[in-house]
Amino acid sequence: MLEADKLFAGSIPENYDRYMVPLIFAPYARDMAERVAAFSPNAVLEIAAGTGVVTRELAPGLLPGTRYVVTDLNQPMLDYAASRQAADSRIEWRQADAMALPFEDAAFDVVCCQFGAMFFPDRVAAYKEARRVLRPGGHFVFNVWDRIEDNVFADDVTKALAEIFPEDPPRFLARTPHGYHDTALIRRDLADAGFSGVTIETKAEQSRASSPDLPAMAFCRGTVLRTEIEARKPGGLDAATGYAAAAIAEKHGSGEVAAKIQAHVIVAEV
């Protein structure tokens, strides 16, 4: 992962929430919310919350007295998440680095993280932090994307952009969001962090959109892929997005489109 891969700023948070969330994140957010709520926790920590799709799904399912701390490294993403959330006295918003959580030991029953572990510069260190703040018997619930070949629209966009920029193809999607898919490695990292009772479920869903334009907009404008495109060709974002949309249309049709997405859902126990 490059340092720039963590910079979700400018208009990216709004576009991320507008396009990416319904396209690929919503079904996994519902799944995570159900898993976390099933533990009936008294205190929950969410790390790498992004624009708050899990927060919006999970908060209604928590007990009335639950403490729910929602964090992200990126303040613009956290600000956007807070702006989308209904008033709720149980929720505390806090900028925090997963590598150095500003919380006491054994403070939470569940730590959850949707599609954030891929961005951790040292995953074992981040997992150790999650374990440190969990109470005995607590659970760490997170998910990561499977390989890019099993996430069709992301793969389509990456291949299309490689045709535009053959000498220096933008590889953000393959490098980071889809770069941590080896389940054996995930198990080793969690074991090295001291977790036991690890279960991993590979879960396929369908990504659906009303037109090929939407997946192209989602990936090209709602992720760090935007900065990679603009770095290679200033003023070329519209053309690159259009090219990606045309590639999706050629493969999937010009009307409503659907394609496979796939992720690993991990539950680790202290």
Side-chain angles (χ1 to χ4, degrees), residues 20 22 43 108 148 165 214 263:
M20 294 296 289
F108 300 95
I148 196 168
F165 305 104
L214 290 180

Side-chain angles (χ1 to χ4, degrees), residues 119-136:
F119 294 88
F120 298 158
D122 183 336
R123 297 184 186 98
V124 173
Y127 296 164
K128 286 180 178 179
E129 275 293 273
R131 189 180 186 282
R132 179 184 64 78
V133 302
L134 279 168
R135 294 166 181 159

Side-chain angles (χ1 to χ4, degrees), residues 208-231:
R208 302 181 186 277
S210 59
S211 77
D213 294 337
L214 290 180
M217 290 283 287
F219 289 108
C220 292
R221 296 176 180 271
T223 75
V224 177
L225 198 56
R226 174 177 187 151
T227 61
E228 291 199 332
I229 294 168
E230 292 176 328

Side-chain angles (χ1 to χ4, degrees), residues 2-85:
L2 304 179
E3 187 66 23
D5 289 355
K6 298 184 288 186
L7 299 178
F8 285 74
S11 63
I12 288 179
E14 182 178 356
N15 286 328
Y16 179 100
D17 200 64
R18 180 180 179 184
Y19 299 117
M20 294 296 289
V21 165
L23 185 71
I24 62 173
F25 291 124
Y28 291 101
R30 289 190 291 269
D31 175 76
M32 177 163 290
E34 290 172 1
R35 291 172 191 263
V36 172
F39 291 120
S40 300
N42 292 313
V44 176
L45 171 64
E46 183 179 351
I47 54 180
T51 57
V53 58
V54 170
T55 316
R56 295 192 290 273
E57 291 285 346
L58 177 55
L62 295 176
L63 298 171
T66 303
R67 179 192 181 203
Y68 187 7
V69 183
V70 182
T71 71
D72 197 273
L73 176 66
N74 191 289
Q75 189 65 49
M77 296 287 270
L78 195 64
D79 291 343
Y80 190 88
S83 76
R84 290 291 315 278
Q85 184 69 37

Side-chain angles (χ1 to χ4, degrees), residues 146-160:
D146 204 348
R147 62 184 193 140
I148 196 168
E149 292 83 0
D150 286 314
N151 290 270
V152 176
F153 288 144
D155 197 35
D156 292 341
V157 170
T158 298
K159 289 176 178 176

